[in-house]
Amino acid sequence: MGEFEKEIKDAKRVVLEFLAQAKLKKGELVVIGCSTSEIASCQIGSYSNEALGEAVFVTMYEELQKAGLAVAAQCCEHLNRALILPEADAERFGYDVVNVVPQPKAGGSFATAAWKHMEHPVAVEHIWAHAGIDIGDTLIGMHLKPVAVPVRLEHPVIGGAHIVCARTRPKYIGGERAHYNETLE
């Protein structure tokens, strides 16, 4: 059995389950927060693992790119949960670039892998993602558009990490007499 084979299999399964339920359109933005410590069944922030972060990132990024989605990788709290994404996507979504390069102990192994594998990566402080995958309770909610809707996975784990997923939908306005476009839910 290869190194991180189970975690890679888990990561691919999570992404495919997520994509099957999230109702995303090509070009939309998905945020991923990931604790390699939690995947390794350790306390968040205590066991950063570069090789594991890279294995999980590459697996998930490839599947999301195949689906035509943009991806932002959330850094850890030491970089105030800044996000790494390709420069072209930062420009397309209108996000201001900040100057920082993630490292395993300041940004996290997953964000460091994103920086390594994305084309022309940049860091930004804030985004409004259409959906997200939170691996190990990294608190991605601050980067989702309102209104977040849970995406419930059949097997919500990668290694020892708990997974929470969400998509967003437009706000309902207008009260009890309003009619809504069901295709936007």
Side-chain angles (χ1 to χ4, degrees):
M1 188 176 216
E3 186 175 29
F4 308 125
E5 189 173 322
K6 181 186 181 318
E7 292 85 352
I8 290 168
K9 185 178 175 183
D10 287 349
K12 186 169 185 173
R13 185 199 66 250
V14 162
V15 170
L16 295 177
E17 279 189 53
F18 170 75
L19 289 172
Q21 296 182 52
K23 302 179 183 180
L24 297 171
K25 297 176 191 145
K26 288 191 185 310
E28 289 188 327
L29 180 59
V30 176
V31 60
I32 305 172
C34 176
S35 167
T36 57
S37 300
E38 291 283 334
I39 292 174
S41 298
C42 297
Q43 184 177 348
I44 195 167
S46 67
Y47 186 75
S48 190
N49 185 314
E50 287 183 68
L52 178 56
E54 188 165 0
V56 172
F57 173 79
V58 168
T59 300
M60 298 181 91
Y61 190 56
E62 287 176 356
E63 292 300 325
L64 292 166
Q65 282 192 306
K66 283 183 208 173
L69 298 166
V71 176
Q74 179 182 270
C75 295
C76 72
E77 66 182 294
H78 297 99
L79 295 186
N80 297 328
R81 304 203 194 290
L83 302 120
I84 307 303
L85 69 163
E87 183 177 35
D89 288 332
E91 289 175 5
R92 179 167 63 96
F93 290 110
Y95 300 138
D96 293 329
V97 172
V98 294
N99 190 357
V100 70
V101 177
Q103 304 298 308
K105 297 286 185 186
S109 294
F110 190 84
T112 300
W115 188 272
K116 180 179 176 181
H117 289 277
M118 288 179 170
E119 186 173 336
H120 304 292
V122 296
V124 300
E125 284 188 285
H126 306 285
I127 63 171
W128 287 94
H130 299 92
I133 301 172
D134 187 323
I135 305 165
D137 303 318
T138 63
L139 304 175
I140 63 164
M142 64 193 285
H143 298 301
L144 293 173
K145 290 179 162 199
V147 171
V149 177
V151 174
R152 305 235 188 258
L153 303 181
E154 187 176 338
H155 303 286
V157 295
I158 297 177
H162 176 248
I163 309 296
V164 175
C165 298
R167 64 177 179 86
T168 61
R169 65 156 175 79
K171 294 177 183 179
Y172 293 144
I173 62 168
E176 66 184 39
R177 296 188 308 182
H179 294 264
Y180 302 108
N181 181 345
E182 292 178 16
T183 64
L184 295 178
E185 292 185 11

